[in-house]
Amino acid sequence: MIDKVIEISRIAGEIIRNGFRKNISIEFKTNASNLVTNIDKKSEETIINFIKKNYPNHSVLAEESGEQMSDSEYCWVIDPLDGTTNFAHGLPIFSVSIGVQKNNETICGVVYDVMRDVAYSAELNSGAFANGKKIKVNDNSVLRESVLVTGFPYNVAENPYNAMEKFNAFLKVSRAIRRLGSAAIDFCYLAEGVFDGFWEVHLNPWDICAGKLIVEEAGGLVTDFENNKINIFSKQILTTNGKVHNDMIEILINN
Ligand code: IPD
Ligand code: CA
Ligand code: CA
């Protein structure tokens, strides 16, 4: 199945690449920061048609069109374009994120980093890969030497709680913080040892599903801010190389 997931992620990625910096149409979802483009929709439609053709009885949970539930034990969790704001403004950092769950456990995950043409992939208990090459998290254990990444929810202007306090606190104790704008890519850069830690609030299941498996298969840890195990519906995400996890938990709990 992983080959099929990679295949359709690359097909969707090509649609996105072909639309980049071209005439696109933009609509607003909840507010002026929360965008969707015709390319998000075209990517999602292509992915869902592929699933319908290859796995007609599987369920689907997709960002733009919602749930199509069947009685199958399989469910595809889809972000057709993760990083829409970047895409719409011409910043070349965005991805396609597809996870497949069996009985609510993620068994396959693919994040396709569109402009770098890198497909990150993982199958449960089989390791994580970038274009077929095995990847793993780094082994830094010093928070002061860590490069962290985060993101902000679309309602951050009205509800800064949990985002800005923690950002300020981490600024003082880490080497640097980045905000790339594609949570799925944040997970993958953590998985291949670029970032040491990534935290964010209010992500959605399609932002988390594939990336979480890729990090775990690369040897990293994914929990909530109190070190509890999480599922794809969690509203808090902390993911690290495992070595700076406790130090990050301490900051998250106290800020
Ligand atoms: C967004 C990105 C971003 C994160 C937001 C997400 P979208 O997804 O992953 O990095 O900070 O919370 O909603 O809307 O571009 O698919
Ligand atoms: Ca997303
Ligand atoms: Ca999206």
Side-chain angles (χ1 to χ4, degrees), residues 63 79 81-83 183 206-207:
E63 179 173 13
D79 192 332
L81 202 178
D82 185 50
W206 42 84
D207 300 314

Side-chain angles (χ1 to χ4, degrees), residues 233-245:
F233 297 95
S234 173
K235 290 296 155 199
Q236 295 180 334
I237 287 286
L238 170 65
T239 176
T240 72
N241 61 6
K243 303 239 164 81
V244 296
H245 211 82

